[in-house]
Amino acid sequence: DGGITQSPKYLFRKEGQNVTLSCEQNLNHDAMYWYRQDPGQGLRLIYYSQIVNDFQKGDIAEGYSVSREKKESFPLTVTSAQKNPTAFYLCASSRGQTSGNTIYFGEGSWLTVV
Amino acid sequence: ILNVEQSPQSLHVQEGDSTNFTCGFPSSNFYALHWYRWETAKSPEALFVMTLNGDEKKKGRISATLNTKEGYSYLYIKGSQPEDSATYLCAFRNFGNEKLTFGTGTRLTIIP
């Protein structure tokens, strides 16, 4: 089945540790995205990538890093510099950045930092 | 910072009744408006992508309208069923901006 796979679904980490969330898609999409959701807020864009080996900061990129070495993979690293890392993280992809391109989402990863 | 407002925040509807809710967005430099349905423990699922003023799209019992001049879109559900229970998200994009801005969603609960 085509889709977006995020792992792990639940992750607990100690404060000060970096963690990496995996996102893989087999939809042959060029564009990939990372969003974060906090209670009472809309999805906020962390980073996005329109093509392999290229990515741009979203609205809340501080404390995060990404890479796009392969078309199908867009891992997100939550670094120790992220002040409030506990959140729900959603990965998504689309054919491209044009207006009519639907965005497809993974099922998300819950990160809890203690 | 773009403001996308959805109302109401939550809604309880009796099974069989019809309902609607709103997404408000900036009316200038409109490019596209997306609607998604997000069921608990699942991925958000695309419902509609709307790009033209006056657009009306339909998918089964769900339909949406778009007014870009006044900056709002309505989502309608006819004859609500329990499986319609979900959070409905809208997302807006304007010209010159590659990013979608999401609203906080309307949480719909259908009462059997």
Side-chain angles (χ1 to χ4, degrees):
Chain A
D1 276 357
I4 299 173
T5 303
Q6 287 187 240
S7 63
K9 198 159 186 170
Y10 301 96
L11 187 58
F12 293 85
R13 276 294 180 266
K14 288 185 180 176
E15 203 171 315
Q17 288 182 330
N18 291 355
V19 304
T20 297
L21 305 179
S22 168
C23 178
E24 303 278 327
Q25 54 100 357
N26 60 5
L27 300 167
N28 199 32
H29 284 169
D30 288 315
M32 295 187 75
Y33 315 82
W34 274 105
Y35 290 91
R36 168 182 171 141
Q37 191 190 38
D38 295 282
Q41 297 204 42
L43 295 175
R44 292 185 291 165
L45 184 65
I46 305 172
Y47 267 98
Y48 64 103
S49 166
Q50 297 183 67
I51 198 165
V52 175
N53 292 324
D54 186 45
F55 48 83
Q56 285 80 41
K57 291 181 180 180
D59 299 316
I60 53 165
E62 188 177 342
Y64 298 98
S65 66
V66 292
S67 63
R68 188 87 187 276
E69 295 174 7
K70 296 187 295 182
K71 188 175 185 177
E72 55 270 22
S73 178
F74 192 40
L76 174 75
T77 297
V78 185
T79 75
S80 55
Q82 168 48 233
K83 291 187 172 58
N84 296 299
T86 295
F88 182 69
Y89 292 87
L90 266 177
C91 179
S93 70
S94 69
R95 284 207 309 271
Q97 279 279 353
T98 61
S99 64
N101 282 331
T102 300
I103 291 182
Y104 295 83
F105 289 90
E107 291 190 345
S109 294
W110 285 97
L111 173 63
T112 302
V113 175
V114 295
Chain B
I1 295 177
L2 298 173
N3 207 23
V4 178
E5 294 190 0
Q6 291 190 247
S7 64
Q9 217 170 21
S10 68
L11 192 54
H12 287 75
V13 173
Q14 202 69 41
E15 183 178 350
D17 287 352
S18 297
T19 187
N20 65 83
F21 28 93
T22 311
C23 173
F25 50 85
S27 54
S28 58
N29 295 321
F30 175 85
Y31 198 51
L33 193 283
H34 296 226
W35 279 103
Y36 292 87
R37 173 171 60 201
W38 194 358
E39 294 177 63
T40 304
K42 293 187 178 179
S43 315
E45 173 201 356
L47 288 172
F48 307 113
V49 178
M50 308 176 83
T51 55
L52 297 174
N53 184 42
D55 244 358
E56 186 166 336
K57 298 216 171 179
K58 193 174 176 187
K59 191 175 184 177
R61 294 178 291 99
I62 303 178
S63 59
T65 60
L66 179 67
N67 183 326
T68 61
K69 293 187 190 310
E70 294 182 39
Y72 65 83
S73 174
Y74 289 133
L75 191 81
Y76 299 90
I77 301 179
K78 191 175 172 183
S80 304
Q81 299 296 310
E83 59 264 30
D84 296 328
S85 294
T87 296
Y88 290 82
L89 298 175
C90 72
F92 165 79
R93 184 180 164 195
N94 62 358
F95 273 107
N97 191 344
E98 297 166 320
K99 301 172 281 189
L100 282 177
T101 300
F102 281 83
T104 54
T106 292
R107 186 171 179 87
L108 175 66
T109 303
I110 305 303
I111 305 164

